[in-house]
């Protein structure tokens, strides 16, 4: 049927950092450029800020060795020059740090804003099966809370960490230049600390990723508990819901606690190593710089050199201490940024419009759409059992088809094949003779539309919900199109009965409207799309009788002249169709008109008889001919 995502989010979760960065460079080059934009200047400013701080020990050494330690020297001039150089270096470091902070904050916020915008666009381009396999709260978390962790890290010390790293490298070089004997054990111990921290970083990183995943699950549980409050109260399941939320809270807390052990271990080991380095330099430097040791020829240090080394060690261990202490924040930010990047590089399965025939995307021919399924079998997941088997169906342009069958017979799967929400395991789905999976997304999107049982409405007005489907050509054009659609579908009396007419707000997910009224808005929105293939997942189920009349009139106007497939949960829908497909256990068992099928023994006659018996005591039976 067409290309499906090669790797989902679950697969990318196991991708190495190097491979993930390669995917970012190859799949989102614009974002990759945004992430490294201005990096050379940023590193240069970090070098200037770090070097400016390192100048202080050198000026102290100069003052001691050329002023205090030399009788008759120009002490005031030496100290003055040392102070002037130190002050200039400090001011330079402050200016470089200020500029660096400004650049990093702006750059990071700009990059994160671009990631959020690109993430939403990428999310809308994902194949339905890919996005449906992940909880909405997890997808939301990847573009909000996870990226917020990066912002928090940068604002709370990310720049300081960068400058400290530069400062630590410069200090290590100067210590080695002054005395390799003192530098060797210090740098050796630091190397061992880095190796240990690298292992701990891997553990901490994995556990922070698990913690962020647990927090997304918690957000999902809390969101469902809030969104479903009416159902929870009506079914008296408060205790069960609270238990589910409590379990999610405990899982999130446990995931956070699992981070603490390696994090605390790294901090304790780091403090011990740093204290050992400092003590060694102080004791060994003072002891070995004396005049009565066998180290004297190789290690004799002046007072200025010794003090400078002690200060340089401070400049070395302080950023090292910062590195250790900020390990947790850094790994949390890395885990958050990684989760966002995973979403951005997830293959969309999109079919581009620019491919040449035979190599990719094809346009969908204009006009009414005919449908053909050739030996199609379908299943959910690679190893899932088949839901549809050996399906051969031909639907003529403009024909209205009803699909009936018991729950689990394959009706919804059939609809998903037509709308590309599911790819066939075997066989081929053709629209106007073109394989559905090779039709360009832009060509497919506005030509094939589904109206679900419970359509989604945004928390805006009725007019704004309908006009979402309008091709923007100015406000006047939109309102004119709205008026035309309302008139064509016979919705003006209903809209006029509302307090604010088309400007009535629908509430969150349309909660201020009845089920039938939500369907009327969805049908008007679909009419503006003006599709050539319309899939209706029983748009009238759960609609009250009064509104059902309006819905049926709107449906009659909407389906006229269009190829229509109705997933029928009520037999009255099947009665009005040109043709009926009867599914049973994943197979097409009957195909024909209502009048033909109802007279012969078979699955359809049984379903229709059961429906008549069920509705006879509640609503007088009506055929399509009795409905205006």
């Amino acid at each position: 049927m067409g290309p499906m995502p090669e790797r989902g989010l679950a697969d990318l979760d196991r991708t190495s950092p190097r491979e993930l960065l390669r995917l970012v460079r190859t799949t989102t080059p614009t974002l990759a450029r945004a992430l490294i934009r201005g990096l050379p200047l940023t590193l240069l400013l970090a070098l200037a800020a770090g070097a400016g701080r390192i100048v202080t020990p050198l000026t102290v050494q100069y003052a001691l060795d050329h002023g205090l330690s030399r009788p008759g020297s120009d002490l005031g001039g030496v100290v003055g020059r040392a102070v002037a150089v130190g002050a200039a270096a400090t001011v330079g470091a402050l200016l470089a740090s200020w500029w660096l902070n400004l650049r990093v904050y702006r750059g990071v916020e700009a990059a994160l804003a671009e990631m959020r915008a690109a993430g939403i666009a990428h999310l809308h381009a994902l194949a339905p099966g890919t996005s449906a396999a992940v909880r909405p709260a997890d997808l939301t978390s990847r573009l909000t809370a996870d990226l917020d962790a990066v912002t928090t890290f940068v604002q709370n010390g990310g720049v300081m960490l960068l400058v400290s790293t530069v400062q630590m490298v410069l200090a290590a070089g100067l210590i080695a230049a002054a005395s390799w004997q003192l530098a060797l054990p210090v740098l050796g111990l630091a190397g061992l600390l880095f190796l240990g921290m690298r292992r701990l970083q891997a553990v901490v990183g994995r556990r922070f990723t698990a913690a962020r995943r647990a927090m997304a699950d918690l957000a999902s549980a809390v969101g469902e508990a809030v969104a479903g409050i009416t159902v929870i109260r009506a079914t008296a399941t408060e205790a069960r819901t609270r238990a589910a939320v409590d379990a999610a809270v405990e899982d999130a807390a446990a995931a956070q606690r699992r981070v603490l052990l390696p994090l605390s271990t790294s901090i304790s080991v780091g403090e011990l190593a740093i204290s050992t380095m400092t003590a060694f330099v102080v004791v060994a430097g003072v002891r070995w710089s004396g005049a009565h040791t066998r180290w004297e020829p190789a290690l004799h240090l002046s007072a200025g050199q010794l003090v400078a080394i002690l200060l340089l060690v401070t400049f070395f261990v302080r950023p090292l201490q910062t590195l250790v202490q900020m390990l947790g924040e850094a790994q949390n930010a890395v885990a958050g940024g990684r989760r966002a990047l995973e979403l951005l590089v997830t293959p969309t399965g999109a079919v581009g419009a620019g491919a040449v025939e035979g190599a990719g995307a094809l346009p969908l021919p204009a006009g009414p759409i005919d449908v053909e399924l050739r030996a199609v079998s379908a299943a959910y997941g690679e190893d899932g059992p088949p839901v549809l088997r050996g399906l051969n169906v031909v639907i003529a342009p403009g024909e209205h088809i009803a699909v009936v069958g018991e729950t689990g017979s394959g009706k919804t799967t059939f609809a998903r094949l037509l709308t590309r929400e599911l790819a066939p395991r075997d066989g081929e789905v053709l629209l106007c003779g073109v394989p559905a999976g090779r039709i360009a997304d832009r060509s497919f999107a506005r030509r094939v539309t589904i109206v679900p049982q419970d359509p989604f409405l945004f928390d805006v007005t009725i007019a704004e919900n309908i006009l979402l489907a309008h091709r923007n050509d100015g406000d006047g054009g939109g309102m004119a199109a709205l008026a035309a659609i309302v008139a064509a579908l016979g919705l003006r009396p209903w809209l006029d009965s509302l307090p604010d007419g088309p400007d009535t707000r629908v509430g969150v997910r349309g909660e201020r409207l009845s089920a039938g009224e939500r369907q009327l808005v969805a049908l008007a929105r679909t009419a503006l799309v003006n599709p050539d293939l319309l899939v209706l997942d029983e748009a009238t189920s759960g609609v009250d009788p009064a509104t059902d009349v309006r819905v049926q009139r709107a449906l009659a106007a909407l389906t006229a002249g269009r190829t229509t497939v109705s997933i029928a949960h009520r037999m009255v829908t099947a009665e009005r169709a040109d043709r009926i497909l009867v599914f049973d256990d994943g197979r097409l068992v009957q195909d024909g008109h209502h009048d033909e099928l109802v007279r012969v023994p078979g699955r359809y006659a049984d379903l229709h008889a059961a429906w008549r018996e069920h509705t006879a005591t509640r609503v007088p039976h009506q055929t399509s001919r009795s409905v205006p």
Side-chain angles (χ1 to χ4, degrees):
M1 178 174 176
M4 296 296 287
E6 299 173 1
R7 285 185 286 187
L9 287 172
D11 300 309
L12 287 167
D13 189 42
R14 296 185 291 270
T15 303
S16 67
R18 181 176 297 179
E19 174 65 11
L20 183 62
L21 291 176
R22 187 192 66 78
L23 288 172
V24 171
R25 289 195 301 270
T26 56
T27 61
T28 58
T30 302
L31 177 61
R33 287 193 294 271
L35 292 175
I36 62 173
R37 189 179 297 132
L39 185 59
L41 179 56
T42 298
L43 294 177
L44 183 62
L45 289 172
L47 179 61
R53 298 178 181 181
I54 292 296
V55 169
T56 300
L58 302 181
T59 59
V60 171
Q61 176 186 343
Y62 175 80
L64 289 174
D65 289 345
H66 293 80
L68 295 177
S69 300
R70 291 185 180 181
S73 63
D74 182 10
L75 180 60
V78 171
V79 173
R81 286 190 294 272
V83 170
V85 172
T90 301
V91 172
L94 288 174
L95 291 175
S97 294
W98 173 80
W99 192 3
L100 177 64
N101 275 275
L102 191 62
R103 281 185 55 82
V104 170
Y105 286 0
R106 286 179 174 176
V108 169
E109 288 302 327
L112 295 184
E114 189 164 338
M115 287 179 69
R116 287 189 172 98
I120 291 296
H122 192 78
L123 182 59
H124 288 166
L126 287 178
T130 302
S131 55
V134 185
R135 289 183 176 184
D138 182 82
L139 296 174
T140 303
S141 174
R142 289 175 186 268
L143 297 177
T144 53
D146 289 335
L147 287 180
D148 286 342
V150 180
T151 299
T152 301
F153 168 68
V154 172
Q155 293 177 345
N156 292 345
V159 175
M160 181 179 66
L161 190 64
L162 178 61
V163 175
S164 296
T165 302
V166 173
Q167 177 183 315
M168 185 178 65
V169 172
L170 292 175
L174 290 174
I175 292 172
S179 173
W180 66 266
Q181 296 92 337
L182 292 179
L184 191 61
V186 169
L187 297 182
L189 190 56
L192 292 176
L193 179 60
F194 273 116
L195 290 177
M197 284 180 61
R198 186 173 181 180
R199 288 183 172 274
L200 284 172
Q201 278 183 336
V203 175
V204 171
R206 287 194 299 269
R207 295 191 180 184
F208 260 121
T209 299
R212 302 210 66 83
R213 196 179 303 121
M215 291 300 296
D217 292 340
L218 174 59
S220 180
V222 172
E224 289 181 353
V226 173
I229 190 169
T230 302
V231 176
I232 293 167
R233 288 173 176 170
T235 54
T237 53
E238 293 92 343
R240 185 186 307 169
T241 303
R242 285 197 297 270
V245 174
D246 289 345
V249 169
E250 179 54 36
D251 288 344
Q256 297 282 9
R257 287 194 295 269
R258 281 193 291 271
V259 176
L260 295 179
L261 179 60
L263 206 55
S264 300
T265 301
S266 68
I267 293 175
S268 299
V269 172
E271 293 289 348
L272 177 61
I274 289 168
S275 299
T276 303
M277 292 178 205
T278 305
F280 170 80
V281 171
V282 171
V283 174
V286 172
R287 172 65 177 168
W288 291 345
S289 62
H292 302 290
T293 69
R294 60 190 180 90
W295 285 87
E296 180 180 354
L299 192 62
H300 181 72
L301 299 173
S302 67
Q305 288 176 317
L306 180 59
V307 171
I309 290 175
L310 293 177
L311 290 175
L312 286 171
V313 168
T314 302
F315 278 92
F316 178 79
V317 298
R318 188 182 299 165
L320 185 60
Q321 189 175 28
T322 301
L323 286 171
V324 172
Q325 291 176 343
M326 295 190 68
L327 171 64
E329 292 182 30
Q331 286 300 324
N332 191 25
V334 169
R338 178 192 175 94
R339 279 170 51 82
L341 290 174
E342 286 171 358
L343 174 60
L344 287 168
V345 300
T346 300
T348 63
V351 185
V356 297
E357 185 172 351
L362 298 173
L364 187 58
I369 293 176
D370 63 89
V371 180
E372 183 179 1
L373 281 76
R374 297 177 180 171
V376 168
S377 296
Y380 294 95
E382 296 182 359
D383 302 323
V387 181
L388 289 177
R389 306 174 184 85
L391 192 60
N392 291 284
V393 174
V394 175
I395 301 174
E399 192 174 20
H400 185 178
I401 298 293
V403 181
V404 302
E406 293 182 340
T407 300
S409 61
K411 304 187 302 296
T412 300
T413 302
F414 179 72
R416 290 178 175 175
L417 288 171
L418 300 183
T419 57
R420 296 203 310 195
E421 294 180 56
L422 182 68
R425 176 175 288 179
D426 298 303
E428 198 169 30
V429 178
L430 304 172
L431 304 182
C432 295
V434 181
R438 291 186 59 193
I439 299 172
D441 288 347
R442 289 186 177 275
S443 178
F444 189 90
R446 299 193 76 97
R447 302 285 303 283
V448 181
T449 301
I450 183 170
V451 180
Q453 288 183 12
D454 187 16
F456 182 88
L457 299 185
F458 294 90
D459 186 14
V460 292
T461 66
I462 290 175
E464 288 172 303
N465 269 288
I466 295 174
L467 289 174
L468 285 171
H470 179 62
R471 293 175 174 86
N472 186 21
D473 59 340
D475 294 338
M479 297 311 295
L482 175 64
I485 288 299
V486 167
L489 300 184
L491 302 183
R492 176 54 60 187
W494 166 62
L495 286 177
D496 289 342
S497 69
L498 299 175
D500 297 317
D503 293 325
T504 300
R505 290 189 71 91
V506 304
V508 178
R509 292 182 173 269
E511 63 181 9
R512 296 181 183 176
L513 304 180
S514 68
E517 289 172 330
R518 290 196 294 271
Q519 281 293 356
L520 292 175
V521 176
L523 293 175
R525 184 166 61 195
T526 303
L528 266 182
V529 175
N530 194 25
D532 293 302
L533 173 58
L534 180 61
V535 180
L536 303 171
D537 192 359
E538 190 50 271
T540 60
S541 62
V543 177
D544 60 273
T547 310
D548 186 40
V549 175
R550 292 194 181 100
V551 173
Q552 293 299 338
R553 286 174 176 165
L555 279 172
L558 178 61
T559 59
R562 290 188 174 91
T563 307
T564 305
V565 176
S566 295
I567 308 303
H569 299 277
R570 304 190 309 166
M571 286 298 160
V572 67
T573 303
E575 291 176 351
R576 296 168 182 149
D578 298 327
R579 204 166 109 231
I580 301 168
L581 304 179
V582 185
F583 284 83
D584 185 37
D585 193 25
R587 297 185 182 277
L588 177 61
V589 295
Q590 287 183 290
D591 181 354
H593 188 268
H594 163 74
D595 294 337
E596 301 169 358
L597 298 178
V598 78
R599 289 196 297 264
V600 299
R603 198 77 195 101
Y604 181 77
D606 294 341
L607 292 170
H608 192 269
W611 173 75
R612 285 180 62 93
E613 181 180 352
H614 178 68
T615 58
T617 58
R618 299 190 306 152
V619 181
H621 175 63
Q622 290 181 317
T623 66
S624 60
R625 298 168 181 79
S626 64
V627 176

